[in-house]
Amino acid sequence: MPAPALQIGVLTPLTQPGWTSAGRSLLAGMELAVRDVNSSGGIAGRPLELLVRDTAADPSRASAAVDELAALGVAALAGEYHSVVARAVAARADALEVPFLCSSAVLDDLTSAPTDWVARLAPPQSRGWRLYADYLLGEGHTRIAVTTQPSVYWLTGTRILQEHFAAHGGTVIILDASDPLVLCDALASSHVTALLLLVGHPEPAVPIVKAIRGDQRLANLVLGAPAGQPEFADWAALLGESGSAIAFLRYLPEHLTPLGSRVLDRLPEASSFVAYEGYDTIAVLAEVLRTHGPDRTRIAAAWPTVAVDGTRGKIHFTRVPGINVWQWPTPPIQIADRDPASLNHFRTLHTS
């Protein structure tokens, strides 16, 4: 009789309004890591199994999925791309005392109070977005605009940018994203040199980009998307050359580790950097399960002892000031864009 599987509950956006490209990439990386674990004998002879739930970028749906997965007996929870959803998952996981390794969400306040039940691979939003602001300032953009939608994530990002620009003598103005043509008129009279798209993908990001690229008054306006929309294959498919030369944050090193290089050759063609976050998530949980077993309390207690060679570097967790979860303190950060001369090629513009 085969040994029973060790189960990990996975939360990821697979249907809209979630960013489905990110969700599919995250899951692809996780599934590849599980295949690697199981082909090498599993965890003490037991196979690893993913129980996947689609969050569709809905915090209440994600919270209900956490309840379901906890009742099914998963050893741990993993995943999620959207920060607001991940915050709901983290709160519920903390309340139910189920370990949660957050793969991709960056919101600093992932939990409202310190917890031992949650750890995170992605860098805090404050770190990445300040680096992005430094990049813009270094390029001479001291007066910029953001167009944004109501969301804790976008509001927090706007505040980070405003505070960082103000500290360096710069200015950030806020413009409404609801009507692309009205936005173009506002930009034409604003005297800004760059606009950052703090909006959802594909709506309303794609129609905004099309409107701006088609407006001769804005021919010299620089576009940016710190949240990473241009990373995904459907961005290029929907926008073509109009979607190039738009700088965004991605969490990759200058060179992948040997493991990362092997993973690169086996990922689906349309996968993004989020797939590496997914693979690393399972690599960490598999090592914790090997050394500490499937007991939830022991898994949560193991975060500070983790030392795993991931696809993007050595992974360990520590307490970072201002962050309430166990945090990988040194995930790599790049600022990149799509090359106008070759839309499937990314140019690295700046690194942490």
Side-chain angles (χ1 to χ4, degrees):
M1 182 176 178
L6 286 169
Q7 295 178 324
I8 295 173
V10 173
L11 293 308
T12 190
L14 297 174
T15 56
Q16 293 184 353
W19 291 15
T20 58
S21 294
R24 289 193 296 269
S25 286
L26 185 63
L27 185 57
M30 289 185 171
E31 289 175 336
L32 178 57
V34 167
R35 290 197 296 272
D36 286 349
V37 169
N38 290 341
S39 66
S40 62
I43 309 295
R46 297 176 64 180
L48 205 56
E49 180 183 10
L50 303 180
L51 299 185
V52 181
R53 298 296 182 269
D54 172 22
T55 64
D58 183 337
S60 61
R61 178 169 172 168
S63 295
V66 171
D67 287 2
E68 177 199 0
L69 292 165
L72 289 172
V74 297
L77 299 166
E80 193 45 47
Y81 179 80
H82 295 286
S83 284
V84 175
V85 178
R87 189 171 63 167
V89 171
R92 198 68 193 129
D94 182 52
L96 296 175
E97 298 186 342
V98 181
F100 171 41
L101 179 51
C102 181
S103 306
S104 299
V106 299
L107 198 66
D108 283 35
D109 295 329
L110 201 57
T111 59
S112 59
T115 177
D116 287 326
W117 293 97
V118 182
R120 173 166 56 187
L121 289 173
Q125 187 178 16
S126 56
R127 180 182 165 214
W129 287 47
R130 285 171 187 154
L131 180 74
Y132 193 95
D134 285 336
Y135 164 73
L136 289 175
L137 289 164
E139 292 292 306
H141 299 289
T142 58
R143 179 176 171 81
I144 72 165
V146 301
T147 187
T148 187
Q149 296 174 288
S151 163
V152 171
Y153 174 67
W154 300 126
L155 178 64
T156 302
T158 299
R159 186 180 69 247
I160 292 167
L161 293 167
Q162 287 178 315
E163 291 175 353
H164 202 75
F165 266 75
H168 293 80
T171 302
V172 178
I173 66 171
I174 301 172
L175 300 176
D176 184 65
S178 57
D179 187 325
L181 297 181
V182 172
L183 173 62
C184 287
D185 289 340
L187 286 167
S189 61
S190 67
H191 305 292
V192 299
T193 59
L195 171 71
L196 304 189
L197 304 164
L198 309 191
V199 294
H201 167 67
E203 298 287 339
V206 169
I208 288 174
V209 173
K210 287 181 177 179
I212 290 171
R213 295 298 203 205
D215 192 325
Q216 291 301 312
R217 298 173 299 172
L218 306 175
N220 295 321
L221 183 72
V222 169
L223 294 181
Q229 299 95 318
E231 167 77 15
F232 302 109
D234 55 350
W235 176 270
L238 291 167
L239 283 167
E241 188 176 346
S242 294
S244 66
I246 299 177
F248 63 93
L249 289 166
R250 65 194 322 218
Y251 306 125
L252 288 176
E254 185 176 359
H255 300 290
L256 293 168
T257 66
L259 172 63
S261 296
R262 293 195 298 273
V263 168
L264 172 63
D265 293 334
R266 298 160 58 219
L267 285 170
E269 185 177 351
S271 297
S272 69
F273 77 86
V274 181
Y276 297 100
E277 294 179 318
Y279 192 101
D280 287 341
T281 299
I282 298 304
V284 168
L285 289 174
E287 183 59 26
V288 171
L289 288 166
R290 286 189 193 99
T291 55
H292 297 277
D295 179 79
R296 291 173 177 173
T297 300
R298 294 185 65 189
I299 292 171
W303 299 131
T305 70
V306 165
V308 171
D309 291 318
T311 61
R312 300 165 297 143
K314 175 78 80 171
I315 298 169
H316 69 285
F317 299 106
T318 189
R319 290 296 192 185
V320 173
I323 304 298
N324 287 328
V325 303
W326 288 100
Q327 176 70 52
W328 183 18
T330 56
I333 303 176
Q334 292 179 356
I335 297 169
D337 70 1
R338 286 186 178 269
D339 188 344
S342 178
L343 295 181
N344 291 326
H345 175 254
F346 294 100
R347 304 182 296 188
T348 301
L349 307 174
H350 189 68
T351 60
S352 59

PDB file of all heavy atoms in Angstrom, residues 119-147:
ATOM      1  N   ALA A 119       5.536  33.213   6.938  1.00  0.00           N
ATOM      2  CA  ALA A 119       6.826  33.637   6.398  1.00  0.00           C
ATOM      3  C   ALA A 119       6.622  34.082   4.960  1.00  0.00           C
ATOM      4  O   ALA A 119       5.622  33.736   4.327  1.00  0.00           O
ATOM      5  CB  ALA A 119       7.844  32.504   6.476  1.00  0.00           C
ATOM      6  N   ARG A 120       7.587  34.846   4.426  1.00  0.00           N
ATOM      7  CA  ARG A 120       7.409  35.400   3.085  1.00  0.00           C
ATOM      8  C   ARG A 120       8.728  35.398   2.316  1.00  0.00           C
ATOM      9  O   ARG A 120       9.782  35.713   2.859  1.00  0.00           O
ATOM     10  CB  ARG A 120       6.887  36.837   3.168  1.00  0.00           C
ATOM     11  CG  ARG A 120       6.852  37.521   1.810  1.00  0.00           C
ATOM     12  CD  ARG A 120       6.045  38.798   1.802  1.00  0.00           C
ATOM     13  NE  ARG A 120       6.505  39.747   2.793  1.00  0.00           N
ATOM     14  CZ  ARG A 120       5.870  40.881   3.065  1.00  0.00           C
ATOM     15  NH1 ARG A 120       4.741  41.183   2.431  1.00  0.00           N
ATOM     16  NH2 ARG A 120       6.327  41.710   3.973  1.00  0.00           N
ATOM     17  N   LEU A 121       8.610  35.082   0.999  1.00  0.00           N
ATOM     18  CA  LEU A 121       9.761  35.099   0.096  1.00  0.00           C
ATOM     19  C   LEU A 121       9.928  36.441  -0.617  1.00  0.00           C
ATOM     20  O   LEU A 121      11.054  36.889  -0.843  1.00  0.00           O
ATOM     21  CB  LEU A 121       9.618  34.002  -0.955  1.00  0.00           C
ATOM     22  CG  LEU A 121       9.788  32.559  -0.483  1.00  0.00           C
ATOM     23  CD1 LEU A 121       9.448  31.597  -1.622  1.00  0.00           C
ATOM     24  CD2 LEU A 121      11.215  32.316  -0.005  1.00  0.00           C
ATOM     25  N   ALA A 122       8.838  37.067  -1.040  1.00  0.00           N
ATOM     26  CA  ALA A 122       8.922  38.315  -1.804  1.00  0.00           C
ATOM     27  C   ALA A 122       9.384  39.460  -0.910  1.00  0.00           C
ATOM     28  O   ALA A 122       9.130  39.455   0.302  1.00  0.00           O
ATOM     29  CB  ALA A 122       7.559  38.640  -2.412  1.00  0.00           C
ATOM     30  N   PRO A 123      10.056  40.463  -1.480  1.00  0.00           N
ATOM     31  CA  PRO A 123      10.500  41.602  -0.672  1.00  0.00           C
ATOM     32  C   PRO A 123       9.326  42.480  -0.259  1.00  0.00           C
ATOM     33  O   PRO A 123       8.326  42.561  -0.978  1.00  0.00           O
ATOM     34  CB  PRO A 123      11.434  42.367  -1.618  1.00  0.00           C
ATOM     35  CG  PRO A 123      10.938  42.021  -2.980  1.00  0.00           C
ATOM     36  CD  PRO A 123      10.449  40.601  -2.900  1.00  0.00           C
ATOM     37  N   PRO A 124       9.412  43.165   0.879  1.00  0.00           N
ATOM     38  CA  PRO A 124       8.355  44.111   1.254  1.00  0.00           C
ATOM     39  C   PRO A 124       8.214  45.211   0.204  1.00  0.00           C
ATOM     40  O   PRO A 124       9.181  45.622  -0.442  1.00  0.00           O
ATOM     41  CB  PRO A 124       8.852  44.683   2.589  1.00  0.00           C
ATOM     42  CG  PRO A 124       9.835  43.688   3.111  1.00  0.00           C
ATOM     43  CD  PRO A 124      10.472  43.079   1.907  1.00  0.00           C
ATOM     44  N   GLN A 125       6.996  45.686   0.042  1.00  0.00           N
ATOM     45  CA  GLN A 125       6.706  46.719  -0.945  1.00  0.00           C
ATOM     46  C   GLN A 125       7.572  47.952  -0.733  1.00  0.00           C
ATOM     47  O   GLN A 125       8.045  48.568  -1.698  1.00  0.00           O
ATOM     48  CB  GLN A 125       5.224  47.082  -0.878  1.00  0.00           C
ATOM     49  CG  GLN A 125       4.760  48.030  -1.969  1.00  0.00           C
ATOM     50  CD  GLN A 125       3.270  48.327  -1.882  1.00  0.00           C
ATOM     51  OE1 GLN A 125       2.639  48.072  -0.849  1.00  0.00           O
ATOM     52  NE2 GLN A 125       2.690  48.872  -2.938  1.00  0.00           N
ATOM     53  N   SER A 126       7.799  48.323   0.520  1.00  0.00           N
ATOM     54  CA  SER A 126       8.573  49.534   0.792  1.00  0.00           C
ATOM     55  C   SER A 126       9.984  49.432   0.232  1.00  0.00           C
ATOM     56  O   SER A 126      10.534  50.419  -0.272  1.00  0.00           O
ATOM     57  CB  SER A 126       8.619  49.803   2.301  1.00  0.00           C
ATOM     58  OG  SER A 126       9.137  48.682   2.999  1.00  0.00           O
ATOM     59  N   ARG A 127      10.581  48.255   0.290  1.00  0.00           N
ATOM     60  CA  ARG A 127      11.937  48.097  -0.236  1.00  0.00           C
ATOM     61  C   ARG A 127      11.957  48.211  -1.762  1.00  0.00           C
ATOM     62  O   ARG A 127      12.742  48.971  -2.346  1.00  0.00           O
ATOM     63  CB  ARG A 127      12.521  46.758   0.201  1.00  0.00           C
ATOM     64  CG  ARG A 127      13.937  46.524  -0.308  1.00  0.00           C
ATOM     65  CD  ARG A 127      14.497  45.168   0.078  1.00  0.00           C
ATOM     66  NE  ARG A 127      15.682  44.889  -0.723  1.00  0.00           N
ATOM     67  CZ  ARG A 127      16.051  43.697  -1.147  1.00  0.00           C
ATOM     68  NH1 ARG A 127      15.311  42.642  -0.868  1.00  0.00           N
ATOM     69  NH2 ARG A 127      17.138  43.537  -1.861  1.00  0.00           N
ATOM     70  N   GLY A 128      11.099  47.443  -2.431  1.00  0.00           N
ATOM     71  CA  GLY A 128      11.097  47.444  -3.886  1.00  0.00           C
ATOM     72  C   GLY A 128      10.686  48.774  -4.479  1.00  0.00           C
ATOM     73  O   GLY A 128      11.307  49.265  -5.431  1.00  0.00           O
ATOM     74  N   TRP A 129       9.655  49.396  -3.927  1.00  0.00           N
ATOM     75  CA  TRP A 129       9.141  50.630  -4.526  1.00  0.00           C
ATOM     76  C   TRP A 129      10.059  51.819  -4.245  1.00  0.00           C
ATOM     77  O   TRP A 129      10.119  52.757  -5.037  1.00  0.00           O
ATOM     78  CB  TRP A 129       7.708  50.882  -4.064  1.00  0.00           C
ATOM     79  CG  TRP A 129       6.726  49.942  -4.720  1.00  0.00           C
ATOM     80  CD1 TRP A 129       6.844  48.588  -4.852  1.00  0.00           C
ATOM     81  CD2 TRP A 129       5.486  50.291  -5.337  1.00  0.00           C
ATOM     82  NE1 TRP A 129       5.758  48.070  -5.513  1.00  0.00           N
ATOM     83  CE2 TRP A 129       4.902  49.086  -5.817  1.00  0.00           C
ATOM     84  CE3 TRP A 129       4.805  51.488  -5.528  1.00  0.00           C
ATOM     85  CZ2 TRP A 129       3.682  49.067  -6.475  1.00  0.00           C
ATOM     86  CZ3 TRP A 129       3.579  51.466  -6.180  1.00  0.00           C
ATOM     87  CH2 TRP A 129       3.027  50.261  -6.655  1.00  0.00           C
ATOM     88  N   ARG A 130      10.785  51.800  -3.137  1.00  0.00           N
ATOM     89  CA  ARG A 130      11.791  52.849  -2.919  1.00  0.00           C
ATOM     90  C   ARG A 130      12.936  52.708  -3.906  1.00  0.00           C
ATOM     91  O   ARG A 130      13.466  53.709  -4.398  1.00  0.00           O
ATOM     92  CB  ARG A 130      12.304  52.789  -1.479  1.00  0.00           C
ATOM     93  CG  ARG A 130      11.322  53.336  -0.452  1.00  0.00           C
ATOM     94  CD  ARG A 130      11.796  53.055   0.956  1.00  0.00           C
ATOM     95  NE  ARG A 130      10.782  53.443   1.933  1.00  0.00           N
ATOM     96  CZ  ARG A 130      10.659  52.898   3.139  1.00  0.00           C
ATOM     97  NH1 ARG A 130      11.514  51.936   3.521  1.00  0.00           N
ATOM     98  NH2 ARG A 130       9.714  53.301   3.961  1.00  0.00           N
ATOM     99  N   LEU A 131      13.323  51.475  -4.183  1.00  0.00           N
ATOM    100  CA  LEU A 131      14.347  51.254  -5.196  1.00  0.00           C
ATOM    101  C   LEU A 131      13.866  51.774  -6.550  1.00  0.00           C
ATOM    102  O   LEU A 131      14.633  52.409  -7.299  1.00  0.00           O
ATOM    103  CB  LEU A 131      14.689  49.765  -5.291  1.00  0.00           C
ATOM    104  CG  LEU A 131      15.762  49.400  -6.322  1.00  0.00           C
ATOM    105  CD1 LEU A 131      17.136  49.805  -5.820  1.00  0.00           C
ATOM    106  CD2 LEU A 131      15.738  47.900  -6.617  1.00  0.00           C
ATOM    107  N   TYR A 132      12.606  51.537  -6.862  1.00  0.00           N
ATOM    108  CA  TYR A 132      12.035  52.026  -8.116  1.00  0.00           C
ATOM    109  C   TYR A 132      12.047  53.554  -8.145  1.00  0.00           C
ATOM    110  O   TYR A 132      12.393  54.171  -9.166  1.00  0.00           O
ATOM    111  CB  TYR A 132      10.610  51.492  -8.274  1.00  0.00           C
ATOM    112  CG  TYR A 132      10.034  51.679  -9.650  1.00  0.00           C
ATOM    113  CD1 TYR A 132      10.113  50.672 -10.596  1.00  0.00           C
ATOM    114  CD2 TYR A 132       9.408  52.872 -10.009  1.00  0.00           C
ATOM    115  CE1 TYR A 132       9.591  50.845 -11.879  1.00  0.00           C
ATOM    116  CE2 TYR A 132       8.887  53.053 -11.273  1.00  0.00           C
ATOM    117  CZ  TYR A 132       8.977  52.042 -12.204  1.00  0.00           C
ATOM    118  OH  TYR A 132       8.463  52.222 -13.454  1.00  0.00           O
ATOM    119  N   ALA A 133      11.696  54.168  -7.029  1.00  0.00           N
ATOM    120  CA  ALA A 133      11.732  55.630  -6.959  1.00  0.00           C
ATOM    121  C   ALA A 133      13.149  56.154  -7.152  1.00  0.00           C
ATOM    122  O   ALA A 133      13.355  57.161  -7.850  1.00  0.00           O
ATOM    123  CB  ALA A 133      11.168  56.096  -5.616  1.00  0.00           C
ATOM    124  N   ASP A 134      14.131  55.495  -6.559  1.00  0.00           N
ATOM    125  CA  ASP A 134      15.528  55.907  -6.745  1.00  0.00           C
ATOM    126  C   ASP A 134      15.934  55.826  -8.209  1.00  0.00           C
ATOM    127  O   ASP A 134      16.676  56.677  -8.715  1.00  0.00           O
ATOM    128  CB  ASP A 134      16.455  55.022  -5.900  1.00  0.00           C
ATOM    129  CG  ASP A 134      16.406  55.356  -4.423  1.00  0.00           C
ATOM    130  OD1 ASP A 134      16.046  56.498  -4.076  1.00  0.00           O
ATOM    131  OD2 ASP A 134      16.730  54.464  -3.613  1.00  0.00           O
ATOM    132  N   TYR A 135      15.471  54.782  -8.884  1.00  0.00           N
ATOM    133  CA  TYR A 135      15.767  54.636 -10.309  1.00  0.00           C
ATOM    134  C   TYR A 135      15.215  55.821 -11.095  1.00  0.00           C
ATOM    135  O   TYR A 135      15.916  56.424 -11.930  1.00  0.00           O
ATOM    136  CB  TYR A 135      15.191  53.323 -10.835  1.00  0.00           C
ATOM    137  CG  TYR A 135      15.097  53.247 -12.332  1.00  0.00           C
ATOM    138  CD1 TYR A 135      16.244  53.083 -13.112  1.00  0.00           C
ATOM    139  CD2 TYR A 135      13.863  53.371 -12.974  1.00  0.00           C
ATOM    140  CE1 TYR A 135      16.151  53.039 -14.501  1.00  0.00           C
ATOM    141  CE2 TYR A 135      13.769  53.324 -14.354  1.00  0.00           C
ATOM    142  CZ  TYR A 135      14.913  53.161 -15.114  1.00  0.00           C
ATOM    143  OH  TYR A 135      14.813  53.127 -16.473  1.00  0.00           O
ATOM    144  N   LEU A 136      13.956  56.187 -10.857  1.00  0.00           N
ATOM    145  CA  LEU A 136      13.358  57.307 -11.575  1.00  0.00           C
ATOM    146  C   LEU A 136      14.083  58.616 -11.278  1.00  0.00           C
ATOM    147  O   LEU A 136      14.369  59.407 -12.193  1.00  0.00           O
ATOM    148  CB  LEU A 136      11.885  57.438 -11.192  1.00  0.00           C
ATOM    149  CG  LEU A 136      10.939  56.352 -11.704  1.00  0.00           C
ATOM    150  CD1 LEU A 136       9.551  56.562 -11.129  1.00  0.00           C
ATOM    151  CD2 LEU A 136      10.874  56.336 -13.225  1.00  0.00           C
ATOM    152  N   LEU A 137      14.396  58.847 -10.018  1.00  0.00           N
ATOM    153  CA  LEU A 137      15.113  60.067  -9.647  1.00  0.00           C
ATOM    154  C   LEU A 137      16.481  60.113 -10.319  1.00  0.00           C
ATOM    155  O   LEU A 137      16.920  61.163 -10.797  1.00  0.00           O
ATOM    156  CB  LEU A 137      15.245  60.155  -8.124  1.00  0.00           C
ATOM    157  CG  LEU A 137      13.954  60.438  -7.359  1.00  0.00           C
ATOM    158  CD1 LEU A 137      14.122  60.113  -5.884  1.00  0.00           C
ATOM    159  CD2 LEU A 137      13.540  61.908  -7.543  1.00  0.00           C
ATOM    160  N   GLY A 138      17.136  58.960 -10.366  1.00  0.00           N
ATOM    161  CA  GLY A 138      18.437  58.895 -11.021  1.00  0.00           C
ATOM    162  C   GLY A 138      18.369  59.163 -12.507  1.00  0.00           C
ATOM    163  O   GLY A 138      19.354  59.606 -13.114  1.00  0.00           O
ATOM    164  N   GLU A 139      17.195  58.899 -13.107  1.00  0.00           N
ATOM    165  CA  GLU A 139      16.994  59.175 -14.528  1.00  0.00           C
ATOM    166  C   GLU A 139      16.521  60.603 -14.775  1.00  0.00           C
ATOM    167  O   GLU A 139      16.243  60.977 -15.921  1.00  0.00           O
ATOM    168  CB  GLU A 139      15.959  58.195 -15.104  1.00  0.00           C
ATOM    169  CG  GLU A 139      16.433  56.755 -15.161  1.00  0.00           C
ATOM    170  CD  GLU A 139      17.544  56.556 -16.175  1.00  0.00           C
ATOM    171  OE1 GLU A 139      17.345  56.934 -17.355  1.00  0.00           O
ATOM    172  OE2 GLU A 139      18.611  56.033 -15.791  1.00  0.00           O
ATOM    173  N   GLY A 140      16.424  61.395 -13.704  1.00  0.00           N
ATOM    174  CA  GLY A 140      16.069  62.798 -13.858  1.00  0.00           C
ATOM    175  C   GLY A 140      14.598  63.115 -13.745  1.00  0.00           C
ATOM    176  O   GLY A 140      14.179  64.252 -14.023  1.00  0.00           O
ATOM    177  N   HIS A 141      13.790  62.146 -13.328  1.00  0.00           N
ATOM    178  CA  HIS A 141      12.342  62.371 -13.203  1.00  0.00           C
ATOM    179  C   HIS A 141      12.030  62.845 -11.786  1.00  0.00           C
ATOM    180  O   HIS A 141      11.906  62.041 -10.856  1.00  0.00           O
ATOM    181  CB  HIS A 141      11.579  61.090 -13.519  1.00  0.00           C
ATOM    182  CG  HIS A 141      11.811  60.582 -14.902  1.00  0.00           C
ATOM    183  ND1 HIS A 141      11.305  61.207 -16.017  1.00  0.00           N
ATOM    184  CD2 HIS A 141      12.531  59.514 -15.356  1.00  0.00           C
ATOM    185  CE1 HIS A 141      11.679  60.553 -17.104  1.00  0.00           C
ATOM    186  NE2 HIS A 141      12.420  59.524 -16.732  1.00  0.00           N
ATOM    187  N   THR A 142      11.904  64.152 -11.605  1.00  0.00           N
ATOM    188  CA  THR A 142      11.630  64.710 -10.284  1.00  0.00           C
ATOM    189  C   THR A 142      10.168  65.120 -10.102  1.00  0.00           C
ATOM    190  O   THR A 142       9.737  65.377  -8.977  1.00  0.00           O
ATOM    191  CB  THR A 142      12.529  65.930 -10.023  1.00  0.00           C
ATOM    192  OG1 THR A 142      12.310  66.908 -11.058  1.00  0.00           O
ATOM    193  CG2 THR A 142      13.998  65.533 -10.010  1.00  0.00           C
ATOM    194  N   ARG A 143       9.433  65.172 -11.190  1.00  0.00           N
ATOM    195  CA  ARG A 143       7.991  65.453 -11.116  1.00  0.00           C
ATOM    196  C   ARG A 143       7.277  64.380 -11.934  1.00  0.00           C
ATOM    197  O   ARG A 143       7.368  64.362 -13.166  1.00  0.00           O
ATOM    198  CB  ARG A 143       7.661  66.843 -11.659  1.00  0.00           C
ATOM    199  CG  ARG A 143       6.161  67.182 -11.628  1.00  0.00           C
ATOM    200  CD  ARG A 143       5.897  68.613 -12.092  1.00  0.00           C
ATOM    201  NE  ARG A 143       4.470  68.871 -12.264  1.00  0.00           N
ATOM    202  CZ  ARG A 143       3.621  69.163 -11.278  1.00  0.00           C
ATOM    203  NH1 ARG A 143       4.070  69.243 -10.039  1.00  0.00           N
ATOM    204  NH2 ARG A 143       2.341  69.388 -11.512  1.00  0.00           N
ATOM    205  N   ILE A 144       6.580  63.495 -11.225  1.00  0.00           N
ATOM    206  CA  ILE A 144       5.915  62.381 -11.889  1.00  0.00           C
ATOM    207  C   ILE A 144       4.446  62.340 -11.475  1.00  0.00           C
ATOM    208  O   ILE A 144       4.035  63.008 -10.515  1.00  0.00           O
ATOM    209  CB  ILE A 144       6.586  61.029 -11.565  1.00  0.00           C
ATOM    210  CG1 ILE A 144       6.293  60.626 -10.112  1.00  0.00           C
ATOM    211  CG2 ILE A 144       8.083  61.068 -11.846  1.00  0.00           C
ATOM    212  CD1 ILE A 144       6.594  59.165  -9.805  1.00  0.00           C
ATOM    213  N   ALA A 145       3.690  61.548 -12.200  1.00  0.00           N
ATOM    214  CA  ALA A 145       2.288  61.311 -11.856  1.00  0.00           C
ATOM    215  C   ALA A 145       2.062  59.825 -11.663  1.00  0.00           C
ATOM    216  O   ALA A 145       2.792  58.989 -12.215  1.00  0.00           O
ATOM    217  CB  ALA A 145       1.367  61.834 -12.950  1.00  0.00           C
ATOM    218  N   VAL A 146       1.055  59.488 -10.877  1.00  0.00           N
ATOM    219  CA  VAL A 146       0.568  58.112 -10.792  1.00  0.00           C
ATOM    220  C   VAL A 146      -0.911  58.142 -11.125  1.00  0.00           C
ATOM    221  O   VAL A 146      -1.623  59.095 -10.800  1.00  0.00           O
ATOM    222  CB  VAL A 146       0.795  57.478  -9.399  1.00  0.00           C
ATOM    223  CG1 VAL A 146       2.269  57.471  -9.037  1.00  0.00           C
ATOM    224  CG2 VAL A 146      -0.020  58.186  -8.326  1.00  0.00           C
ATOM    225  N   THR A 147      -1.363  57.117 -11.830  1.00  0.00           N
ATOM    226  CA  THR A 147      -2.803  56.938 -12.025  1.00  0.00           C
ATOM    227  C   THR A 147      -3.177  55.652 -11.315  1.00  0.00           C
ATOM    228  O   THR A 147      -2.510  54.624 -11.472  1.00  0.00           O
ATOM    229  CB  THR A 147      -3.185  56.918 -13.511  1.00  0.00           C
ATOM    230  OG1 THR A 147      -4.615  56.900 -13.624  1.00  0.00           O
ATOM    231  CG2 THR A 147      -2.579  55.755 -14.262  1.00  0.00           C
TER     232      THR A 147
END
